[in-house]
Amino acid sequence: MNKHIVLKYPNALAEGLRINYNMEHRGEIHTIECSIDEKQPKPSWLQLHKFNFTSLKTKGCYSLLFEESKYNKNLDTLLFMDQVYALIMSQANYKID
């Protein structure tokens, strides 16, 4: 994975987690593949090591597609994933709804 972000979760005082990612566009479908950098300890609340996001681009705006299987995680993991998506899209200057 050739790009990364660092996210402090659950608050600004938390140790930053490095998330490596790749983005791919295929027509109107936009996919982000993420993995937690293995060189750092994974927090106990984080229930996954790799995850992805799929968005649909319409009229210059990206809509995250709902995938039910991703939502059987604890609340901290879900909120962390939401923040990862928002930060990646913000850094890429992509408009999300």
Side-chain angles (χ1 to χ4, degrees):
M1 299 199 172
N2 57 6
K3 296 181 182 182
H4 76 275
I5 59 169
V6 176
L7 179 64
K8 293 186 175 196
Y9 183 88
N11 57 52
L13 299 176
E15 186 173 335
L17 283 173
R18 180 181 166 124
I19 300 103
N20 300 315
Y21 70 94
N22 281 327
M23 293 195 289
E24 183 178 323
H25 295 271
R26 288 192 178 160
E28 297 174 344
I29 302 296
H30 175 251
T31 304
I32 304 171
E33 295 178 348
C34 302
S35 69
I36 305 302
D37 195 303
E38 295 177 4
K39 297 174 187 161
Q40 63 191 350
K42 188 176 91 171
S44 61
W45 53 262
L46 188 56
Q47 293 181 292
L48 42 75
H49 177 73
K50 293 183 178 184
F51 51 99
N52 62 53
F53 303 103
T54 304
S55 300
L56 180 63
K57 182 180 179 184
T58 53
K59 298 181 183 175
C61 190
Y62 292 84
S63 299
L64 184 60
L65 299 178
F66 179 77
E67 296 178 50
E68 186 175 346
S69 63
K70 288 184 182 175
Y71 292 91
N72 59 356
K73 308 285 186 263
N74 66 37
L75 183 58
D76 277 322
T77 298
L78 293 175
L79 294 173
F80 172 78
M81 289 172 61
D82 285 346
Q83 288 186 18
V84 168
Y85 179 75
L87 183 56
I88 290 171
M89 297 300 276
S90 173
Q91 285 189 355
N93 260 352
Y94 293 157
K95 182 179 176 185
I96 58 176
D97 63 359

